[in-house]
Amino acid sequence: MQSPVHISPPGKKLPDNQYALFNLGFRPFFLLAAAFAVIAIALWSWKYTQLSSLSLSTVTASQWHAHEMLYGFAFAVIAGFLLTAVKNWTGIQTLHGRPLMALVACWAMARCVMLIAPDQVLIAAGFDLCFNLWLIAAVAQPVIKVKQWRQLGVLSKVILLTIGNAAFYAQATGLANNGAHAALWMGLLLNVSLIMVISRRILPMFIERGVKEEVSLKNAHWIDRLLMVALVALLINILTLDAEKANVVLGLTIALLSSFRLWRWHTPGIWRVPLLWSFYCGLWLMNAGFFIYALSFLNPGMSQILAIHCWAIGGIGVITLAMMARVSLGHTGRNIHTPPRSVHWIFGLIMLSALCRVLLPLIHPEIYRLSVMLAATCWIAAFALFCVTYWPILSQPRTDGMAG
């Protein structure tokens, strides 16, 4: 499997002064996803402290917040990654220029409506689902053209995310009495599943090429298959019977299998490479979410919301930042082995956000609200610093003068 990071796509040289933000999918989507992560959490923090309600009455404020992070922020990162990776995997040019600009505009319009005028949710739904369906078509066309059927597993998750998004909007627009609960669990666990699939493909290779010591890492296919089966079973159980014993068994199964896989991937050299230890720590934090989720059914004092935020901040937040930081360097012709110094602060802040949101309430439940605000502050600082650091990298042409 060719990596979407290490291989520079072929193409003609570009003029040095060309504005490059819409040359390839990762550029606008990574930058806007990071900016949105700052704005959305800042707005949510204000609503949280003010105890203010939404003008939208069909979903709760917490459901609105979760939707915007899972189907707004995370979906944008997925779009940027896939539009870039599929070009490398298939050798076929994906959306760029004005078509990419139009796709970004659909996503951005949906986010603006949901943040500024959520009562106009029907407009947001139209733009958002247009973005989802257009992305599916843009990713599927080159995959089908070159018959890379193994990529259909990744594509199927994007299709399921679109179905989940439609289910949320069905309730939000009043077309259905429920749907948001299922949509948010689908959004969360499908994002986790995508991270597991992609990390299984690329992290061992990243480690082998990124550490100074000579190491050869292998994957066990039985672990990969069992993890996916257990994840599917967990999601189905949550959405149907929600049997507590099944949740415990499946949560612990995923946690233990993933722990074993991460242990097999470990080599001391990763701790000297920020673009490796950040990814590795994010996977462990995501894995911790499954332990906490299982234990929440055994210990009444442990809330499921801690597991959810361990997945969302520690898993999705940390790993998306690590991936965006690496892809943005590799696909702009820069050296991934010498990232900007600020990445240490970026990764440290986002991990501190996860610890404040998950660990601090376990140790000191009496300062729960303070822990939430500390987590939000660290999250905002991490993504704001990413925007400042990576804006010139993402908006300027490749350093080698090639297209992309």
Side-chain angles (χ1 to χ4, degrees):
M1 171 62 64
Q2 290 182 322
S3 164
V5 172
H6 289 288
I7 299 176
S8 298
K12 297 179 181 179
K13 288 196 172 185
L14 297 173
D16 291 338
N17 61 352
Q18 180 168 333
Y19 189 64
L21 188 60
F22 293 98
N23 282 2
L24 200 56
F26 75 96
R27 291 177 177 272
F29 278 115
F30 285 2
L31 191 61
L32 288 174
F36 179 74
V38 173
I39 296 168
I41 293 301
L43 179 59
W44 171 246
S45 299
W46 177 77
K47 287 184 174 293
Y48 182 82
T49 55
Q50 299 297 316
L51 300 177
S52 61
S53 59
L54 285 177
S55 56
L56 184 62
S57 61
T58 48
V59 295
T60 67
S62 293
Q63 288 174 330
W64 166 83
H65 159 64
H67 174 267
E68 287 308 285
M69 299 316 295
L70 293 170
Y71 290 98
F73 161 73
F75 221 140
V77 178
I78 291 169
F81 176 83
L82 287 181
L83 288 172
T84 306
V86 166
K87 179 182 177 181
N88 263 27
W89 294 343
T90 65
I92 296 176
Q93 176 68 56
T94 52
L95 295 181
H96 63 287
R98 290 183 179 179
L100 176 59
M101 196 180 300
L103 181 67
V104 171
C106 288
W107 174 87
M109 287 298 296
R111 305 286 69 80
C112 288
V113 173
M114 289 297 280
L115 290 183
I116 300 171
D119 55 314
Q120 301 297 317
V121 66
L122 188 60
I123 298 174
F127 280 112
D128 218 7
L129 294 175
C130 179
F131 158 69
N132 295 161
L133 294 172
W134 195 350
L135 176 64
I136 291 170
V139 171
Q141 188 271 334
V143 167
I144 294 171
K145 187 172 183 177
V146 299
K147 300 180 180 179
Q148 280 198 4
W149 308 124
R150 65 172 300 181
Q151 312 303 349
L152 293 181
V154 172
L155 182 61
S156 67
K157 292 177 175 60
V158 180
I159 293 171
L160 288 172
L161 278 169
T162 300
I163 293 172
N165 203 16
F168 177 88
Y169 282 119
Q171 178 174 333
T173 56
L175 296 175
N177 294 327
N178 50 46
H181 172 78
L184 297 178
W185 273 110
M186 287 176 67
L188 182 61
L189 292 184
L190 284 168
N191 271 285
V192 167
S193 175
L194 265 173
I195 288 172
M196 284 188 168
V197 169
I198 298 299
S199 63
R200 185 266 182 205
R201 293 185 180 189
I202 63 178
L203 186 57
M205 180 182 60
F206 285 177
I207 293 172
E208 290 172 353
R209 296 182 180 182
V211 299
K212 292 183 178 179
E213 62 263 33
E214 196 167 321
V215 60
S216 178
L217 304 179
K218 295 182 180 179
N219 282 308
H221 291 293
W222 69 270
I223 294 178
D224 304 328
R225 295 189 182 102
L226 193 52
L227 273 172
M228 289 301 106
V229 169
L231 264 172
V232 170
L234 179 61
L235 179 58
I236 291 173
N237 182 63
I238 290 172
L239 298 183
T240 55
L241 300 176
D242 203 17
E244 290 190 4
K245 289 183 179 180
N247 285 332
V248 172
V249 170
L250 291 168
L252 289 176
T253 298
I254 296 168
L256 292 171
L257 283 171
S258 183
S259 295
F260 179 60
R261 185 163 73 172
L262 288 171
W263 172 76
R264 283 163 58 96
W265 289 348
H266 181 266
T267 183
I270 65 174
W271 303 110
R272 294 188 291 270
V273 184
L275 295 181
L276 292 180
W277 62 251
S278 55
F279 207 125
Y280 191 73
C281 288
L283 289 173
W284 270 112
L285 285 168
M286 191 171 72
N287 194 37
F290 287 101
F291 279 114
I292 296 171
Y293 180 73
L295 292 175
S296 70
F297 294 96
L298 304 175
N299 181 1
M302 187 174 289
S303 171
Q304 281 186 24
I305 200 69
L306 300 180
I308 289 170
H309 283 92
C310 202
W311 288 321
I313 303 175
I316 298 171
V318 172
I319 293 170
T320 54
L321 268 177
M323 179 58 71
M324 290 192 298
R326 186 185 183 98
V327 171
S328 299
L329 294 176
H331 275 283
T332 57
R334 290 168 173 82
N335 189 348
I336 60 172
H337 302 295
T338 55
R341 292 183 180 181
S342 60
V343 297
H344 294 275
W345 285 98
I346 292 170
F347 299 147
L349 283 165
I350 192 62
M351 289 180 195
L352 184 59
S353 175
L355 294 176
C356 287
R357 189 63 184 86
V358 178
L359 187 60
L360 200 55
L362 284 174
I363 301 173
H364 297 291
E366 70 277 7
I367 59 168
Y368 182 83
R369 288 180 64 84
L370 176 60
S371 69
V372 173
M373 297 312 299
L374 286 173
T377 302
C378 291
W379 171 283
I380 291 168
F383 280 95
L385 186 54
F386 176 88
C387 288
V388 171
T389 302
Y390 276 84
W391 160 254
I393 294 172
L394 291 167
S395 62
Q396 294 173 7
R398 291 176 60 103
T399 57
D400 56 12
M402 302 302 288

